Amino acid sequence: MRCIKTLALATALISGFASAHIISNGQTVPSATVEKYGELTLNGDSVGYQTWNSSALTGKVRIVQAIAGRSSSKEMNAPLVEAIKAADFSNDTYQTTTIINQDDAIWGTGGFVKSSAEDSKKEFSWSSIVLDESGAVAKAWRLQEESSTIVVIDAQGVVRFVKEGALTDAEVTQVIDLVNKLMQ
């Protein structure tokens, strides 16, 4: 009986580790390519799409927000989005990149997720927005479903901060301070 309990506990622990993201501080993010939809582009008022690859996460300091295609995931780190707006980072040295996992949307809402992403691109034209129809990034980075992951990346593409789930107020401050430091 004791052996069965130990085996059940070990299985639970292993499955918990298997679902954890694989993004590490001091490393680049794992390679990922989004071919189905991809990065949103603007041509006047018209929105287009182009293939996106994680190798594009260089050249500027970035906050990457990888979110499930659900309003609850978007709201999870809304305080950080407000802090980014308030910080008014220079577009020359900073870029926000939002990766939306449309594959992790509530059934039947994929069209809404797409139109919301397009509206956001029109409103925040300087932001990099990636619509990932098949969840390629979430699979490559092993992101938690129905969640939000925040990654701070320096201009060389090296991860300097990563957290899955909602950031605390202290972590929001930490992220903004880190971005300011990395842009110096």
Side-chain angles (χ1 to χ4, degrees), residues 8-9 11 43 57 67 87 131 170 183:
L9 177 61
T11 303
N43 186 7
L57 297 173
I67 60 173
L131 184 59
M183 289 192 310

Side-chain angles (χ1 to χ4, degrees), residues 10 21 32 36 39 44 49 52 55 62 64-65 71 74 76-78 97 106 121 129 134-136 143 148 169 173:
H21 69 78
K36 294 187 177 183
E39 185 167 12
Y49 294 88
W52 178 87
S55 64
R62 295 175 189 270
V64 176
Q65 179 178 220
S71 57
K74 183 178 178 180
M76 194 175 289
N77 280 307
T97 301
I106 296 171
K121 181 63 179 178
I129 300 175
S134 62
L143 301 180
S148 170
D169 290 343
T173 301

Side-chain angles (χ1 to χ4, degrees), residues 46-152:
S46 182
V47 175
Y49 294 88
Q50 64 187 20
T51 299
W52 178 87
N53 186 283
S54 56
S55 64
L57 297 173
T58 60
K60 294 183 178 185
V61 174
R62 295 175 189 270
I63 295 175
V64 176
Q65 179 178 220
I67 60 173
R70 302 165 179 264
S71 57
S72 60
S73 298
K74 183 178 178 180
E75 292 165 10
M76 194 175 289
N77 280 307
L80 176 62
V81 173
E82 292 306 313
I84 292 168
K85 290 178 192 174
D88 195 29
F89 296 128
S90 168
N91 292 342
D92 294 334
T93 55
Y94 171 80
Q95 179 81 58
T96 300
T97 301
T98 303
I99 303 167
I100 305 163
N101 181 1
Q102 189 179 17
D103 191 47
D104 189 4
I106 296 171
W107 188 85
T109 63
F112 173 75
V113 170
K114 182 181 177 192
S115 67
S116 177
E118 291 176 354
D119 290 346
S120 292
K121 181 63 179 178
K122 289 176 184 175
E123 183 177 355
F124 305 105
S125 60
W126 61 90
S127 289
S128 173
I129 300 175
V130 179
L131 184 59
D132 186 356
E133 183 184 51
S134 62
V137 173
K139 290 171 189 156
W141 295 357
R142 295 188 192 154
L143 301 180
Q144 188 177 5
E145 291 183 356
E146 300 181 25
S147 192
S148 170
T149 301
I150 302 299
V151 186
V152 177

Side-chain angles (χ1 to χ4, degrees), residues 23 31 34 112 150 180-181 183:
I23 302 167
S31 180
V34 178
F112 173 75
I150 302 299
N180 279 314
K181 179 181 173 190
M183 289 192 310

